[in-house]
Amino acid sequence: AADLSETDRRKNEFLATLAHELRNPLAPMSNMLEVLKRSDGNTEIIKRAYDIIERQLGQMVRLVDDLLDLNRITYDRLELRPIEVKLSSVIHQAIEASRPLLESAGHDLIVDLPDEPIYLNADPARLAQVFGNLLNNSSKYTQPNGSISISERRIGEEAVVTVKDDGA
């Protein structure tokens, strides 16, 4: 009974997290569809919108794949898919996903990235989720028109990403 209860708790936690994560890519996709409607054939705007929609759709596919992986729930495993990735591109993806929430609250977002790129062997989708969640939480707990910053630094052999806000 204890094992079933624990499995059920993990399943419910997983589903709640996944439902939250599935909503994140929808806002940028919706915004870009509106941008496409108003683009008046501007190829630069159309290309940018398509790129954003494509990235966010990839994120949604990844999340749906997670939903279908019931084995993950049962054994409490998280499957990471590491590749070589530029950290700043992951941060930009997280910002893109969080932008609607940041803009609706009128927050000033300060992005501080080094000139020399930092490359990681990491799962870019999972990292973007983590950074996006941090930015979303900062936005939620910062008064309207507040200030939020995200920075990336190399300290020795480590990459350090910091999210700061002037909220509660």
Side-chain angles (χ1 to χ4, degrees):
D3 285 346
L4 287 174
S5 177
E6 177 62 15
T7 299
D8 191 53
R9 181 198 65 74
R10 284 194 306 241
K11 179 189 71 170
N12 289 337
E13 183 180 310
F14 170 77
L15 291 173
T17 301
L18 189 63
H20 173 75
E21 296 298 332
L22 279 169
R23 282 188 226 109
N24 287 343
L26 291 176
M29 289 171 67
S30 179
N31 288 344
M32 289 303 103
L33 286 173
E34 191 59 37
V35 166
L36 284 172
K37 287 178 190 173
R38 299 175 185 194
S39 69
D40 291 330
N42 181 321
T43 56
E44 186 176 317
I45 291 172
I46 292 170
K47 183 182 178 339
R48 182 172 176 268
Y50 277 130
D51 289 345
I52 291 170
I53 290 170
E54 184 176 43
R55 275 194 304 277
Q56 295 304 320
L57 183 59
Q59 179 74 355
M60 289 209 55
V61 167
R62 173 80 180 269
L63 292 169
V64 170
D65 286 345
D66 286 349
L67 180 60
L68 297 173
D69 186 5
L70 296 179
N71 190 41
R72 177 176 172 233
I73 299 167
T74 304
Y75 296 104
D76 201 20
R77 281 190 253 156
L78 177 67
E79 183 183 336
L80 298 177
R81 298 176 188 144
I83 60 170
E84 184 174 338
V85 62
K86 189 162 84 169
L87 182 55
S88 61
S89 68
V90 174
I91 290 172
H92 284 296
Q93 185 178 352
I95 291 168
E96 187 177 283
S98 301
R99 190 165 304 284
L101 190 57
L102 294 163
E103 287 178 353
S104 70
H107 295 315
D108 181 32
L109 178 64
I110 301 158
V111 181
D112 183 17
L113 304 175
D115 292 333
E116 186 175 322
I118 298 173
Y119 290 91
L120 307 173
N121 185 27
D123 186 322
R126 295 292 180 213
L127 281 180
Q129 286 174 337
V130 170
F131 301 147
N133 286 341
L134 291 171
L135 288 168
N136 287 342
N137 287 342
S138 285
S139 186
K140 289 176 190 173
Y141 297 107
T142 298
Q143 293 294 322
N145 303 311
S147 180
I148 298 171
S149 68
I150 185 166
S151 65
E152 163 192 333
R153 293 281 176 269
R154 179 187 307 273
I155 299 177
E157 293 297 311
E158 296 182 354
V160 177
V161 175
T162 305
V163 177
K164 292 183 183 179
D165 61 62
D166 56 10

